[in-house]
Amino acid sequence: MSNGAPPDDYPALYLYGVQRRFVQGEGALEILRGADLAVWAGQSVALIAPSGTGKSTLLQIAGLLEKPDGGEVYVDKVPTVTLADDQRTALRRNAIGFVYQSHHLLPEFSALENVMLPQLIRGLHKRDAAERAANLLSYLGLGERLKHRPSELSGGEQQRVALARSVANAPRVLLADEPTGNLDPKTSRYVFDILTRLVKETGLAAIIATHNLDLAAQMDRRVTIRDGVVVELA
């Protein structure tokens, strides 16, 4: 990986030498100082790091929501830093799924419609989008809740709808920021088990930021951020 080109077996997501700094007065706050991270298809990586260490910044850069000040981000072999904004947007829409601690579902739409929406934005026919959304929700145990709005769903059900929405466009990469942080322990484990199963069965490359060490222990790898670089944990 020393030359910045993706490794021979091409991870689905590869951050090489990523730098990010923020100007503070006359100085600069160095958040990332050459961070490297490769995640392969079907692999789940737990990102365990305290607030203020650059965890959210790393996820934002990996998801093409921010540009690094140095380094490169490869998504499915594509170098992204010099892409035009519309190209980055298209790649993010088609190749990257996001799950957050808060589900961010649209309250006026049903579970089915919430999962259809990203597919319709991509240009899929309404009938095909509805079929895929129904299949995804059924896979996640929500086949009887398709027409329910978010206010009619439990917290765990809402987060499963958000998970279905995040993979509706069959992305290569899934980025999750404390996806079970608002759930009780039992529901958290249930949603997490579904999430990790989905990663394996669909070949997603997933980075899951979490403070739950028990859940992190079940993932394929664990990493943290120290002094602005990504460090592998045992």
Side-chain angles (χ1 to χ4, degrees):
M1 299 186 186
S2 60
N3 62 357
D8 292 339
D9 50 350
Y10 288 115
L13 175 67
Y14 177 35
L15 281 65
Y16 174 77
V18 168
Q19 302 173 30
R20 191 71 172 104
R21 66 187 66 88
F22 297 97
V23 175
Q24 286 192 332
E26 297 181 356
L29 179 62
E30 299 282 346
I31 302 297
L32 298 174
R33 304 168 181 262
D36 297 337
L37 179 60
V39 188
W40 282 264
Q43 187 178 69
S44 60
V45 177
L47 176 57
I48 310 164
S51 298
T53 57
K55 177 181 63 177
S56 295
T57 299
L58 186 76
L59 288 175
Q60 293 279 96
I61 290 173
L64 308 187
L65 295 169
E66 288 186 31
K67 284 189 177 183
D69 296 306
E72 183 59 272
V73 179
Y74 295 87
V75 177
D76 202 15
K77 306 179 188 178
V78 177
T80 64
V81 168
T82 59
L83 292 179
D85 287 344
D86 60 339
Q87 293 174 306
R88 288 170 60 86
T89 298
L91 185 59
R92 182 171 60 246
R93 180 188 301 136
N94 297 332
I96 304 173
F98 298 89
V99 185
Y100 299 99
Q101 184 169 332
S102 298
H103 50 75
H104 298 303
L105 299 177
L106 297 175
E108 66 272 25
F109 292 143
S110 68
L112 184 73
E113 290 166 336
N114 267 281
V115 180
M116 288 173 61
L117 189 59
Q119 301 176 75
L120 297 176
I121 292 172
R122 187 177 181 179
L124 200 65
H125 190 280
K126 185 176 181 180
R127 180 183 63 251
D128 296 330
E131 180 179 358
R132 176 165 173 77
N135 288 338
L136 279 168
L137 289 167
S138 296
Y139 174 84
L140 296 177
L142 296 171
E144 303 299 319
R145 312 288 274 170
L146 302 183
K147 296 183 179 180
H148 289 67
R149 294 185 178 182
S151 61
E152 301 171 305
L153 301 173
S154 69
E157 289 171 336
Q158 291 178 48
Q159 196 64 314
R160 279 184 277 162
V161 175
L163 179 56
R165 181 184 57 188
S166 73
V167 298
N169 283 335
R172 292 276 288 145
V173 175
L174 180 67
L175 303 174
D177 193 358
E178 295 289 346
T180 62
N182 284 338
L183 305 177
D184 64 81
K186 182 178 179 180
T187 305
S188 175
R189 179 163 299 279
Y190 179 67
V191 171
F192 177 81
D193 288 345
I194 290 176
L195 172 56
T196 52
R197 188 179 77 213
L198 189 66
V199 168
K200 293 296 184 187
E201 293 182 359
T202 62
L204 283 164
I207 302 177
I208 304 170
T210 182
H211 287 106
N212 190 319
L213 298 182
D214 290 335
L215 297 183
Q218 299 179 50
M219 297 188 219
D220 297 316
R221 292 163 54 203
R222 284 148 297 281
V223 302
T224 191
I225 300 174
R226 292 178 186 159
D227 296 323
V229 299
V230 176
V231 178
E232 294 276 345
L233 298 173

